[in-house]
Amino acid sequence: MAKKKSAKLKARLPRGFVDRGPAELLAMEQMISVIKQTYELYGFEPVETPMFEYTDALGKFLPDQDRPNAGVFSLQDDDEQWMSLRYDLTAPLARHVAENFESLPKPYRSYRAGYVFRNEKPGPGRFRQFMQFDADTIGAPSVSADAEICMMASDTMERLGISRGDYVIRVNNRKVLDGVMEVIGLAGDEHAETRLTVLRAVDKLDRLGVEGVKLLLGEGRKDASGDFTKGAGLGDAEADKVLAFVEAGGETTDQTIENLRGLIADSKTGAEGVEELATMGKLFDAAGYTDGRVLIDPSVVRGLEYYTGPVYEAELTFEVKDEKGRPVRFGSVGGGGRYDGLVSRFMSQPVPSTGFSVGVSRLMAALTTLGKLGQEEIAGPVVVCVMDKDIDSIAHYQAMVQELRTAGIRAEMYQGNPKQFGKQLQYADKRNSPCAIIQGSQEREQGEVQIKDLIEGKRLSAEIEDNKTWRESRPAQFAVKRDELVAEVKKLLSAQEEDRENN
RNA sequence: GCAGACGUAGCUCAGUUGGUUAGAGCGUCGGAUUGUGGCUCCGAAGGUCGGUGGUUCGAAUCCACUCGUCUGUACCA
Protein backbone atom coordinates (compact mmCIF):
# COMPACT_ATOMS: atom_id res chain seq x y z
CA MET A 1 0.00 0.00 0.00
CA ALA A 2 1.33 3.35 -0.96
CA LYS A 3 1.81 5.78 1.84
CA LYS A 4 1.06 9.41 1.34
CA LYS A 5 4.14 11.05 -0.02
CA SER A 6 4.20 13.69 2.64
CA ALA A 7 4.31 11.02 5.34
CA LYS A 8 7.42 9.42 3.87
CA LEU A 9 10.51 9.46 6.02
CA LYS A 10 13.09 11.95 4.90
CA ALA A 11 16.61 10.56 4.54
CA ARG A 12 18.96 13.00 6.18
CA LEU A 13 22.37 13.02 7.76
CA PRO A 14 22.68 14.46 11.24
CA ARG A 15 24.18 17.93 11.26
CA GLY A 16 27.96 18.00 11.46
CA PHE A 17 28.51 14.37 10.41
CA VAL A 18 29.60 12.88 7.08
CA ASP A 19 29.35 9.66 5.10
CA ARG A 20 32.57 8.51 3.47
CA GLY A 21 32.91 6.87 0.07
CA PRO A 22 35.46 4.38 -1.20
CA ALA A 23 38.01 6.95 -2.39
CA GLU A 24 38.10 8.71 0.93
CA LEU A 25 38.25 5.48 2.92
CA LEU A 26 41.13 4.21 0.85
CA ALA A 27 43.00 7.48 1.28
CA MET A 28 42.43 7.40 5.02
CA GLU A 29 43.65 3.82 5.28
CA GLN A 30 46.85 4.71 3.45
CA MET A 31 47.43 7.68 5.67
CA ILE A 32 46.81 5.82 8.90
CA SER A 33 49.14 3.08 7.83
CA VAL A 34 51.96 5.59 7.22
CA ILE A 35 51.47 7.26 10.60
CA LYS A 36 51.31 3.88 12.30
CA GLN A 37 54.57 2.77 10.71
CA THR A 38 56.27 5.93 11.91
CA TYR A 39 55.04 5.58 15.47
CA GLU A 40 55.98 1.89 15.52
CA LEU A 41 59.46 2.77 14.34
CA TYR A 42 59.89 4.99 17.36
CA GLY A 43 58.96 2.10 19.62
CA PHE A 44 55.36 2.97 20.46
CA GLU A 45 52.82 0.15 20.88
CA PRO A 46 49.12 0.16 20.06
CA VAL A 47 46.29 0.39 22.56
CA GLU A 48 42.55 0.92 22.18
CA THR A 49 40.07 2.43 24.59
CA PRO A 50 36.30 2.62 24.06
CA MET A 51 34.37 5.55 22.62
CA PHE A 52 32.57 6.06 25.93
CA GLU A 53 34.02 7.02 29.28
CA TYR A 54 32.35 8.03 32.50
CA THR A 55 31.93 11.76 32.28
CA ASP A 56 33.93 12.42 35.43
CA ALA A 57 36.95 10.64 33.93
CA LEU A 58 36.92 13.23 31.15
CA GLY A 59 35.18 15.81 33.25
CA LYS A 60 37.95 17.64 34.99
CA PHE A 61 38.51 19.69 31.89
CA LEU A 62 34.94 20.16 30.81
CA PRO A 63 34.25 23.82 30.18
CA ASP A 64 31.24 23.76 32.44
CA GLN A 65 30.77 20.90 34.86
CA ASP A 66 27.16 21.73 35.58
CA ARG A 67 26.17 20.93 32.03
CA PRO A 68 27.68 17.66 30.84
CA ASN A 69 26.07 18.19 27.44
CA ALA A 70 27.96 21.36 26.63
CA GLY A 71 30.67 20.48 24.17
CA VAL A 72 30.41 16.73 24.65
CA PHE A 73 27.80 14.13 23.81
CA SER A 74 26.61 12.67 27.08
CA LEU A 75 23.98 10.21 28.22
CA GLN A 76 22.96 8.52 31.42
CA ASP A 77 23.56 4.81 31.91
CA ASP A 78 20.78 2.67 33.41
CA ASP A 79 22.38 3.16 36.81
CA GLU A 80 22.10 6.90 36.21
CA GLN A 81 25.85 7.45 35.90
CA TRP A 82 26.76 10.01 33.25
CA MET A 83 28.79 8.72 30.33
CA SER A 84 30.26 10.76 27.49
CA LEU A 85 31.64 10.12 24.05
CA ARG A 86 35.35 10.89 24.14
CA TYR A 87 36.34 14.30 22.82
CA ASP A 88 40.02 13.50 22.59
CA LEU A 89 42.29 10.48 23.03
CA THR A 90 44.39 11.81 25.88
CA ALA A 91 41.94 11.78 28.77
CA PRO A 92 40.87 8.17 28.02
CA LEU A 93 44.52 7.14 27.88
CA ALA A 94 45.16 8.75 31.26
CA ARG A 95 42.28 6.71 32.68
CA HIS A 96 43.61 3.52 31.08
CA VAL A 97 47.10 4.07 32.45
CA ALA A 98 45.90 4.93 35.94
CA GLU A 99 43.71 1.83 35.99
CA ASN A 100 46.46 -0.49 34.76
CA PHE A 101 49.41 1.26 36.30
CA GLU A 102 51.01 -1.78 37.93
CA SER A 103 51.10 -3.94 34.82
CA LEU A 104 52.26 -1.37 32.27
CA PRO A 105 55.94 -0.81 31.54
CA LYS A 106 57.21 2.64 32.55
CA PRO A 107 57.76 4.73 30.65
CA TYR A 108 54.69 3.54 28.78
CA ARG A 109 54.87 4.40 25.09
CA SER A 110 51.61 3.91 23.21
CA TYR A 111 49.74 5.03 20.10
CA ARG A 112 46.11 4.83 19.02
CA ALA A 113 43.83 6.13 16.31
CA GLY A 114 40.14 6.72 16.63
CA TYR A 115 37.14 8.91 16.14
CA VAL A 116 36.44 11.58 18.71
CA PHE A 117 33.23 13.57 19.10
CA ARG A 118 32.56 17.19 19.88
CA ASN A 119 29.10 18.56 20.37
CA GLU A 120 29.63 22.01 18.98
CA LYS A 121 28.87 24.15 15.98
CA PRO A 122 30.14 22.45 12.83
CA GLY A 123 31.64 24.43 9.96
CA PRO A 124 33.03 23.64 6.55
CA GLY A 125 35.79 21.07 7.04
CA ARG A 126 34.91 20.92 10.69
CA PHE A 127 32.74 18.06 11.89
CA ARG A 128 31.31 16.73 15.09
CA GLN A 129 33.04 13.39 14.55
CA PHE A 130 36.64 13.30 13.36
CA MET A 131 39.71 11.15 13.65
CA GLN A 132 42.81 11.69 15.70
CA PHE A 133 46.01 9.66 15.82
CA ASP A 134 47.99 10.08 19.04
CA ALA A 135 51.29 8.93 20.51
CA ASP A 136 52.20 9.43 24.15
CA THR A 137 55.08 8.73 26.50
CA ILE A 138 53.86 8.33 30.05
CA GLY A 139 56.19 8.31 33.03
CA ALA A 140 59.06 10.25 31.45
CA PRO A 141 59.93 13.53 33.23
CA SER A 142 62.72 14.74 30.94
CA VAL A 143 62.20 17.14 28.05
CA SER A 144 64.09 14.68 25.88
CA ALA A 145 60.79 12.78 25.71
CA ASP A 146 59.16 15.96 24.39
CA ALA A 147 61.97 16.54 21.92
CA GLU A 148 61.64 13.00 20.63
CA ILE A 149 57.94 13.45 20.02
CA CYS A 150 58.55 16.69 18.11
CA MET A 151 61.04 14.94 15.87
CA MET A 152 58.63 12.07 15.34
CA ALA A 153 55.93 14.58 14.38
CA SER A 154 58.30 15.99 11.80
CA ASP A 155 59.11 12.52 10.45
CA THR A 156 55.41 11.76 10.23
CA MET A 157 54.76 14.83 8.08
CA GLU A 158 57.54 13.92 5.68
CA ARG A 159 56.57 10.27 5.43
CA LEU A 160 53.09 11.46 4.49
CA GLY A 161 54.65 13.26 1.56
CA ILE A 162 54.68 16.82 2.86
CA SER A 163 57.91 18.42 1.67
CA ARG A 164 60.40 20.01 4.01
CA GLY A 165 59.48 23.66 4.14
CA ASP A 166 55.78 23.03 3.59
CA TYR A 167 55.34 22.34 7.28
CA VAL A 168 56.95 23.27 10.57
CA ILE A 169 56.82 21.92 14.10
CA ARG A 170 56.70 24.96 16.34
CA VAL A 171 57.71 24.56 19.97
CA ASN A 172 57.11 26.68 23.04
CA ASN A 173 56.84 26.14 26.79
CA ARG A 174 53.97 26.90 29.14
CA LYS A 175 56.40 27.89 31.85
CA VAL A 176 57.74 30.63 29.62
CA LEU A 177 54.22 31.94 29.08
CA ASP A 178 53.62 31.83 32.84
CA GLY A 179 56.90 33.73 33.33
CA VAL A 180 55.72 36.53 31.07
CA MET A 181 52.55 36.82 33.12
CA GLU A 182 54.63 37.12 36.27
CA VAL A 183 56.75 39.84 34.75
CA ILE A 184 53.72 41.97 33.85
CA GLY A 185 52.22 41.49 37.28
CA LEU A 186 49.55 38.92 36.48
CA ALA A 187 50.75 36.22 38.87
CA GLY A 188 48.34 34.81 41.40
CA ASP A 189 44.84 33.37 41.36
CA GLU A 190 43.11 36.74 41.29
CA HIS A 191 44.44 37.30 37.75
CA ALA A 192 43.63 33.87 36.35
CA GLU A 193 40.88 35.29 34.16
CA THR A 194 43.08 38.00 32.69
CA ARG A 195 45.90 35.51 32.06
CA LEU A 196 43.50 33.38 30.02
CA THR A 197 42.40 36.39 27.98
CA VAL A 198 46.03 37.30 27.29
CA LEU A 199 46.87 33.75 26.20
CA ARG A 200 43.84 33.63 23.92
CA ALA A 201 44.84 36.92 22.37
CA VAL A 202 48.35 35.65 21.71
CA ASP A 203 46.94 32.46 20.19
CA LYS A 204 45.25 34.55 17.49
CA LEU A 205 48.49 36.10 16.23
CA ASP A 206 48.53 34.18 12.95
CA ARG A 207 44.94 35.11 12.16
CA LEU A 208 44.66 38.71 13.36
CA GLY A 209 48.26 39.89 13.15
CA VAL A 210 50.17 42.00 15.65
CA GLU A 211 47.68 44.88 15.49
CA GLY A 212 44.69 42.67 16.21
CA VAL A 213 46.45 41.03 19.13
CA LYS A 214 47.41 44.41 20.52
CA LEU A 215 43.76 45.50 20.48
CA LEU A 216 42.74 42.31 22.27
CA LEU A 217 45.43 42.86 24.90
CA GLY A 218 44.11 46.34 25.49
CA GLU A 219 40.48 47.44 25.32
CA GLY A 220 39.10 45.06 22.72
CA ARG A 221 38.41 44.59 19.05
CA LYS A 222 35.53 44.87 16.58
CA ASP A 223 35.20 42.19 13.89
CA ALA A 224 33.90 42.44 10.34
CA SER A 225 30.25 42.10 11.33
CA GLY A 226 30.61 44.84 13.93
CA ASP A 227 30.61 42.44 16.87
CA PHE A 228 32.85 43.53 19.73
CA THR A 229 35.29 41.30 21.60
CA LYS A 230 36.32 42.55 25.00
CA GLY A 231 40.10 42.73 25.55
CA ALA A 232 42.34 41.94 28.51
CA GLY A 233 42.56 45.57 29.57
CA LEU A 234 46.34 45.72 29.84
CA GLY A 235 48.18 49.02 29.81
CA ASP A 236 50.39 49.90 26.85
CA ALA A 237 53.60 49.03 28.69
CA GLU A 238 52.31 45.54 29.62
CA ALA A 239 50.85 44.92 26.19
CA ASP A 240 54.13 45.86 24.57
CA LYS A 241 55.98 43.46 26.84
CA VAL A 242 53.67 40.64 25.84
CA LEU A 243 54.10 41.52 22.17
CA ALA A 244 57.86 41.77 22.53
CA PHE A 245 57.79 38.28 23.95
CA VAL A 246 55.56 36.95 21.20
CA GLU A 247 57.93 38.37 18.61
CA ALA A 248 61.05 37.09 20.37
CA GLY A 249 61.59 34.43 17.73
CA GLY A 250 65.04 35.06 16.23
CA GLU A 251 66.94 33.84 13.19
CA THR A 252 68.43 30.96 15.13
CA THR A 253 67.40 28.93 18.15
CA ASP A 254 70.27 30.43 20.16
CA GLN A 255 69.10 33.92 19.36
CA THR A 256 65.50 33.14 20.32
CA ILE A 257 66.69 31.70 23.62
CA GLU A 258 68.84 34.81 24.26
CA ASN A 259 65.88 37.11 23.55
CA LEU A 260 63.69 35.15 25.93
CA ARG A 261 66.32 35.14 28.68
CA GLY A 262 66.45 38.92 28.50
CA LEU A 263 62.67 39.32 28.65
CA ILE A 264 61.87 37.14 31.61
CA ALA A 265 65.02 37.14 33.72
CA ASP A 266 62.92 38.16 36.73
CA SER A 267 60.69 35.12 36.72
CA LYS A 268 61.91 31.83 38.20
CA THR A 269 59.25 29.78 36.38
CA GLY A 270 59.96 31.62 33.14
CA ALA A 271 63.68 31.04 33.43
CA GLU A 272 63.05 27.35 34.01
CA GLY A 273 60.93 27.21 30.86
CA VAL A 274 63.59 28.99 28.84
CA GLU A 275 66.22 26.50 29.98
CA GLU A 276 63.91 23.62 28.98
CA LEU A 277 63.55 25.17 25.56
CA ALA A 278 67.31 25.60 25.36
CA THR A 279 67.79 21.91 26.16
CA MET A 280 65.27 20.88 23.53
CA GLY A 281 66.96 23.22 21.07
CA LYS A 282 70.26 21.44 21.64
CA LEU A 283 68.64 18.06 21.10
CA PHE A 284 67.00 19.21 17.86
CA ASP A 285 70.30 20.64 16.71
CA ALA A 286 72.24 17.49 17.51
CA ALA A 287 69.72 15.40 15.59
CA GLY A 288 69.79 17.81 12.66
CA TYR A 289 66.15 18.95 12.93
CA THR A 290 66.90 22.69 13.12
CA ASP A 291 66.97 22.98 9.33
CA GLY A 292 63.45 24.40 9.33
CA ARG A 293 61.70 21.26 10.47
CA VAL A 294 61.46 22.13 14.17
CA LEU A 295 61.39 25.70 15.37
CA ILE A 296 61.34 27.34 18.79
CA ASP A 297 58.52 29.88 18.51
CA PRO A 298 57.35 31.90 21.55
CA SER A 299 53.99 32.68 19.93
CA VAL A 300 52.68 29.10 20.17
CA VAL A 301 49.89 28.79 22.69
CA ARG A 302 48.01 25.53 23.04
CA GLY A 303 45.81 23.59 25.36
CA LEU A 304 45.36 26.43 27.76
CA GLU A 305 44.07 24.17 30.48
CA TYR A 306 46.20 21.14 31.07
CA TYR A 307 49.65 21.58 29.54
CA THR A 308 52.40 22.07 32.09
CA GLY A 309 55.64 22.31 30.12
CA PRO A 310 56.69 22.13 26.48
CA VAL A 311 53.89 22.58 23.92
CA TYR A 312 54.16 21.98 20.20
CA GLU A 313 52.12 22.36 17.08
CA ALA A 314 52.44 20.91 13.57
CA GLU A 315 51.55 23.57 11.05
CA LEU A 316 51.27 23.49 7.28
CA THR A 317 52.82 26.61 5.81
CA PHE A 318 51.84 26.44 2.14
CA GLU A 319 48.82 28.19 0.73
CA VAL A 320 46.21 26.72 -1.58
CA LYS A 321 43.27 28.24 -3.39
CA ASP A 322 39.74 27.11 -2.71
CA GLU A 323 37.15 26.61 -5.44
CA LYS A 324 36.43 30.34 -5.43
CA GLY A 325 40.11 31.18 -5.89
CA ARG A 326 40.57 32.57 -2.42
CA PRO A 327 43.75 31.60 -0.59
CA VAL A 328 43.23 29.10 2.23
CA ARG A 329 45.75 28.21 4.89
CA PHE A 330 45.38 24.85 6.51
CA GLY A 331 47.32 25.90 9.58
CA SER A 332 47.50 23.53 12.47
CA VAL A 333 47.11 19.83 11.70
CA GLY A 334 48.31 18.47 15.00
CA GLY A 335 49.70 19.39 18.34
CA GLY A 336 50.60 18.26 21.78
CA GLY A 337 52.60 18.90 24.89
CA ARG A 338 53.49 17.86 28.39
CA TYR A 339 50.61 17.14 30.74
CA ASP A 340 52.14 16.18 34.07
CA GLY A 341 48.89 16.48 35.97
CA LEU A 342 46.50 14.45 33.83
CA VAL A 343 47.25 10.89 34.96
CA SER A 344 48.11 11.80 38.51
CA ARG A 345 44.64 13.13 39.21
CA PHE A 346 43.63 9.46 39.41
CA MET A 347 46.68 8.57 41.52
CA SER A 348 48.56 9.57 44.62
CA GLN A 349 51.88 9.88 42.80
CA PRO A 350 53.10 12.19 40.03
CA VAL A 351 53.07 10.69 36.52
CA PRO A 352 54.86 13.04 34.11
CA SER A 353 53.59 12.54 30.56
CA THR A 354 53.83 14.01 27.11
CA GLY A 355 52.08 13.32 23.82
CA PHE A 356 51.17 14.41 20.34
CA SER A 357 47.96 14.23 18.37
CA VAL A 358 47.55 14.30 14.60
CA GLY A 359 44.27 15.65 13.26
CA VAL A 360 43.78 12.92 10.66
CA SER A 361 40.64 14.34 9.05
CA ARG A 362 42.08 17.79 8.63
CA LEU A 363 45.46 16.57 7.45
CA MET A 364 43.72 14.36 4.92
CA ALA A 365 41.92 17.35 3.42
CA ALA A 366 45.28 19.08 3.10
CA LEU A 367 47.00 16.09 1.52
CA THR A 368 44.20 15.65 -0.97
CA THR A 369 44.60 19.27 -2.01
CA LEU A 370 48.36 18.76 -2.31
CA GLY A 371 47.69 15.80 -4.60
CA LYS A 372 49.43 13.37 -2.26
CA LEU A 373 46.30 11.36 -1.66
CA GLY A 374 43.28 10.08 -3.50
CA GLN A 375 44.77 10.70 -6.92
CA GLU A 376 44.57 7.21 -8.32
CA GLU A 377 41.21 6.09 -9.62
CA ILE A 378 39.83 3.12 -7.80
CA ALA A 379 39.75 0.27 -10.30
CA GLY A 380 36.49 -1.62 -10.36
CA PRO A 381 36.05 -5.36 -10.68
CA VAL A 382 36.06 -7.31 -13.92
CA VAL A 383 32.37 -7.71 -14.75
CA VAL A 384 31.11 -10.92 -16.27
CA CYS A 385 27.98 -10.13 -18.25
CA VAL A 386 24.88 -12.31 -18.21
CA MET A 387 23.66 -13.03 -21.73
CA ASP A 388 21.64 -16.17 -21.18
CA LYS A 389 19.48 -16.43 -18.14
CA ASP A 390 19.04 -20.19 -17.84
CA ILE A 391 20.55 -21.80 -14.81
CA ASP A 392 23.25 -23.69 -16.73
CA SER A 393 24.54 -20.53 -18.31
CA ILE A 394 24.53 -18.71 -14.99
CA ALA A 395 26.60 -21.55 -13.58
CA HIS A 396 29.09 -21.07 -16.40
CA TYR A 397 29.36 -17.36 -15.66
CA GLN A 398 29.86 -18.13 -11.99
CA ALA A 399 32.65 -20.52 -12.89
CA MET A 400 34.42 -17.80 -14.86
CA VAL A 401 34.14 -15.39 -11.96
CA GLN A 402 35.56 -17.96 -9.58
CA GLU A 403 38.49 -18.67 -11.86
CA LEU A 404 39.31 -14.98 -11.99
CA ARG A 405 39.02 -14.66 -8.22
CA THR A 406 41.25 -17.68 -7.66
CA ALA A 407 43.84 -15.93 -9.80
CA GLY A 408 43.56 -12.91 -7.50
CA ILE A 409 41.58 -10.78 -9.93
CA ARG A 410 38.72 -8.73 -8.52
CA ALA A 411 35.63 -9.97 -10.39
CA GLU A 412 31.88 -10.24 -10.18
CA MET A 413 28.96 -11.50 -12.23
CA TYR A 414 26.34 -8.88 -13.02
CA GLN A 415 23.69 -9.33 -10.34
CA GLY A 416 21.15 -6.82 -11.62
CA ASN A 417 18.30 -7.43 -14.01
CA PRO A 418 20.01 -8.91 -17.08
CA LYS A 419 17.13 -8.18 -19.44
CA GLN A 420 18.93 -5.38 -21.20
CA PHE A 421 22.48 -6.09 -22.10
CA GLY A 422 23.32 -2.39 -22.50
CA LYS A 423 22.59 -1.83 -18.82
CA GLN A 424 25.26 -4.32 -17.90
CA LEU A 425 27.93 -2.43 -19.77
CA GLN A 426 26.66 0.84 -18.32
CA TYR A 427 27.04 -0.68 -14.91
CA ALA A 428 30.58 -1.86 -15.64
CA ASP A 429 31.40 1.59 -16.94
CA LYS A 430 30.08 3.23 -13.81
CA ARG A 431 32.07 0.87 -11.63
CA ASN A 432 35.19 1.89 -13.49
CA SER A 433 35.77 -1.72 -14.50
CA PRO A 434 38.87 -2.53 -16.55
CA CYS A 435 37.01 -4.95 -18.80
CA ALA A 436 33.79 -6.88 -19.29
CA ILE A 437 33.55 -10.58 -20.12
CA ILE A 438 30.88 -11.54 -22.63
CA GLN A 439 29.74 -15.00 -23.61
CA GLY A 440 26.50 -15.62 -25.44
CA SER A 441 25.36 -18.81 -27.09
CA GLN A 442 27.38 -18.03 -30.24
CA GLU A 443 30.61 -17.75 -28.26
CA ARG A 444 29.79 -20.78 -26.18
CA GLU A 445 29.44 -22.95 -29.28
CA GLN A 446 32.84 -21.75 -30.46
CA GLY A 447 34.40 -22.39 -27.03
CA GLU A 448 35.24 -18.70 -26.80
CA VAL A 449 34.58 -15.61 -24.72
CA GLN A 450 34.68 -11.96 -25.67
CA ILE A 451 36.85 -9.61 -23.63
CA LYS A 452 35.89 -5.97 -23.92
CA ASP A 453 38.54 -3.46 -22.89
CA LEU A 454 36.46 -0.70 -21.34
CA ILE A 455 39.35 1.72 -20.87
CA GLU A 456 40.45 1.58 -24.49
CA GLY A 457 36.82 1.63 -25.59
CA LYS A 458 36.22 4.82 -23.66
CA ARG A 459 39.11 6.41 -25.51
CA LEU A 460 37.77 5.27 -28.88
CA SER A 461 34.28 6.57 -28.20
CA ALA A 462 35.54 10.11 -28.77
CA GLU A 463 36.26 9.24 -32.39
CA ILE A 464 32.92 7.64 -33.23
CA GLU A 465 29.91 9.84 -33.70
CA ASP A 466 27.37 7.62 -35.32
CA ASN A 467 25.61 5.31 -32.94
CA LYS A 468 25.18 2.56 -35.49
CA THR A 469 28.93 2.41 -36.13
CA TRP A 470 29.60 2.56 -32.40
CA ARG A 471 27.39 -0.44 -31.76
CA GLU A 472 28.37 -2.53 -34.70
CA SER A 473 32.11 -2.00 -34.54
CA ARG A 474 32.26 -3.29 -30.96
CA PRO A 475 35.32 -1.22 -30.14
CA ALA A 476 38.24 -2.61 -28.15
CA GLN A 477 36.75 -6.06 -28.07
CA PHE A 478 38.34 -9.36 -28.93
CA ALA A 479 37.61 -13.09 -28.69
CA VAL A 480 39.80 -15.56 -26.82
CA LYS A 481 39.56 -19.29 -26.14
CA ARG A 482 37.59 -20.09 -23.02
CA ASP A 483 40.64 -21.87 -21.51
CA GLU A 484 42.73 -18.75 -21.88
CA LEU A 485 40.29 -16.40 -20.19
CA VAL A 486 42.30 -15.87 -17.01
CA ALA A 487 45.63 -15.53 -18.82
CA GLU A 488 44.19 -13.02 -21.30
CA VAL A 489 42.51 -10.90 -18.63
CA LYS A 490 45.78 -10.85 -16.72
CA LYS A 491 47.58 -9.72 -19.84
CA LEU A 492 45.06 -6.94 -20.42
CA LEU A 493 45.23 -5.75 -16.82
CA SER A 494 48.99 -5.48 -16.84
CA ALA A 495 48.90 -3.65 -20.18
CA GLN A 496 46.43 -1.16 -18.70
CA GLU A 497 48.60 -0.84 -15.61
CA GLU A 498 51.62 -0.01 -17.75
CA ASP A 499 49.57 2.55 -19.66
CA ARG A 500 48.60 4.30 -16.45
CA GLU A 501 52.20 4.51 -15.30
CA ASN A 502 53.29 6.06 -18.57
CA ASN A 503 50.76 8.85 -18.28
C1' G B 1 27.04 31.87 22.22
C1' C B 2 26.98 36.87 19.41
C1' A B 3 26.39 39.56 14.58
C1' G B 4 25.17 39.57 9.43
C1' A B 5 23.62 37.26 4.69
C1' C B 6 20.79 33.50 2.49
C1' G B 7 16.78 29.20 2.19
C1' U B 8 12.35 27.54 -4.80
C1' A B 9 13.15 19.82 -7.95
C1' G B 10 18.79 15.30 -6.35
C1' C B 11 22.36 19.73 -8.13
C1' U B 12 22.89 24.96 -10.20
C1' C B 13 19.45 28.60 -10.55
C1' A B 14 14.91 31.74 -13.04
C1' G B 15 10.19 33.30 -11.16
C1' U B 16 7.76 40.87 -13.13
C1' U B 17 4.06 45.95 -8.66
C1' G B 18 1.08 40.02 -4.48
C1' G B 19 -2.85 37.36 -9.60
C1' U B 20 -4.89 31.15 -13.08
C1' U B 21 -2.03 24.86 -13.15
C1' A B 22 5.68 27.48 -9.99
C1' G B 23 9.76 26.98 -14.76
C1' A B 24 14.84 25.92 -17.18
C1' G B 25 19.58 23.45 -17.54
C1' C B 26 22.17 19.39 -15.57
C1' G B 27 21.34 14.69 -13.26
C1' U B 28 17.91 10.27 -12.59
C1' C B 29 14.52 6.71 -14.83
C1' G B 30 12.07 4.71 -19.42
C1' G B 31 12.07 4.34 -24.86
C1' A B 32 14.16 4.78 -30.08
C1' U B 33 18.16 0.06 -29.84
C1' U B 34 15.01 -7.08 -25.88
C1' G B 35 23.79 -8.86 -28.34
C1' U B 36 27.29 -3.57 -26.82
C1' G B 37 29.21 1.93 -22.65
C1' G B 38 29.71 7.30 -25.74
C1' C B 39 26.77 10.85 -29.10
C1' U B 40 21.66 12.15 -30.77
C1' C B 41 16.31 12.22 -30.45
C1' C B 42 11.55 11.24 -27.76
C1' G B 43 9.08 10.59 -23.09
C1' A B 44 8.45 10.30 -17.68
C1' A B 45 9.18 10.81 -12.61
C1' G B 46 10.69 14.42 -9.25
C1' G B 47 8.12 20.57 -5.42
C1' U B 48 3.62 20.87 1.48
C1' C B 49 8.46 27.28 -2.72
C1' G B 50 12.63 25.30 4.87
C1' G B 51 8.54 25.22 8.92
C1' U B 52 4.50 27.57 11.78
C1' G B 53 1.33 31.53 12.31
C1' G B 54 -0.48 36.29 10.42
C1' U B 55 -2.08 40.30 6.60
C1' U B 56 -5.12 39.70 1.99
C1' C B 57 -10.58 38.10 -2.29
C1' G B 58 -5.72 35.89 -3.48
C1' A B 59 1.14 34.73 -0.80
C1' A B 60 7.07 31.52 -3.53
C1' U B 61 6.43 37.08 -3.26
C1' C B 62 4.48 41.23 2.49
C1' C B 63 4.93 40.69 8.24
C1' A B 64 6.24 37.87 12.86
C1' C B 65 8.35 33.80 15.00
C1' U B 66 11.09 29.36 14.26
C1' C B 67 14.47 25.77 11.97
C1' G B 68 18.57 25.18 8.67
C1' U B 69 22.94 26.80 5.73
C1' C B 70 26.95 30.19 4.89
C1' U B 71 30.39 34.31 6.52
C1' G B 72 32.73 36.80 10.54
C1' U B 73 33.50 36.42 15.75
C1' A B 74 33.70 33.76 20.55
C1' C B 75 34.80 28.96 22.66
C1' C B 76 37.91 24.69 21.45
C1' A B 77 39.34 19.89 26.36
Side-chain angles (χ1 to χ4, degrees), chain A residues 131-182:
Chain A
M131 185 167 281
Q132 293 192 333
F133 203 146
D134 287 26
D136 293 81
T137 303
I138 288 181
S142 159
V143 294
S144 68
D146 297 279
E148 180 195 44
I149 283 189
C150 291
M151 294 188 268
M152 184 173 76
S154 165
D155 287 7
T156 304
M157 293 295 139
E158 297 199 359
R159 281 165 164 260
L160 284 168
I162 301 170
S163 311
R164 201 161 294 187
D166 278 349
Y167 76 95
V168 64
I169 311 296
R170 301 191 298 145
V171 182
N172 195 11
N173 194 303
R174 276 304 306 275
K175 291 177 186 169
V176 178
L177 294 161
D178 289 343
V180 178
M181 300 299 172
E182 262 181 50

Side-chain angles (χ1 to χ4, degrees), chain A residues 378-424:
Chain A
I378 296 171
V382 171
V383 171
V384 174
C385 298
V386 175
M387 302 286 297
D388 301 318
K389 284 148 276 182
D390 60 286
I391 201 69
D392 281 350
S393 302
I394 299 281
H396 280 111
Y397 300 136
Q398 289 282 24
M400 290 185 216
V401 171
Q402 281 307 344
E403 280 172 37
L404 289 165
R405 288 172 181 160
T406 305
I409 297 166
R410 215 176 152 216
E412 65 182 49
M413 187 185 82
Y414 182 70
Q415 295 286 11
N417 181 356
K419 204 176 85 185
Q420 282 187 80
F421 181 55
K423 294 275 173 245
Q424 304 194 33

Side-chain angles (χ1 to χ4, degrees), chain A residues 12-18 73 119-122 127-129:
Chain A
R12 61 204 178 108
L13 190 62
R15 185 167 71 96
F17 292 87
V18 274
F73 293 97
N119 189 4
E120 58 191 6
K121 177 183 151 186
F127 302 102
R128 298 207 285 175
Q129 172 185 332

Side-chain angles (χ1 to χ4, degrees), chain A residues 240-260:
Chain A
D240 284 344
K241 268 189 184 164
V242 173
L243 287 173
F245 157 77
V246 163
E247 295 178 304
E251 289 290 308
T252 65
T253 304
D254 288 346
Q255 209 178 317
T256 306
I257 298 293
E258 271 321 299
N259 292 346
L260 288 176

Side-chain angles (χ1 to χ4, degrees), chain A residues 466-479:
Chain A
D466 173 52
N467 191 40
K468 201 164 172 138
T469 319
W470 168 249
R471 298 185 130 216
E472 284 172 0
S473 67
R474 298 184 178 178
Q477 186 171 330
F478 54 95

Side-chain angles (χ1 to χ4, degrees), chain A residues 21 23 30 69 75 115 129 172 186 199 201 235 248-249 265 425 434 475 496:
Chain A
Q30 287 172 1
N69 273 312
L75 55 85
Y115 283 111
Q129 172 185 332
N172 195 11
L186 290 179
L199 288 176
L425 287 175
Q496 287 178 351

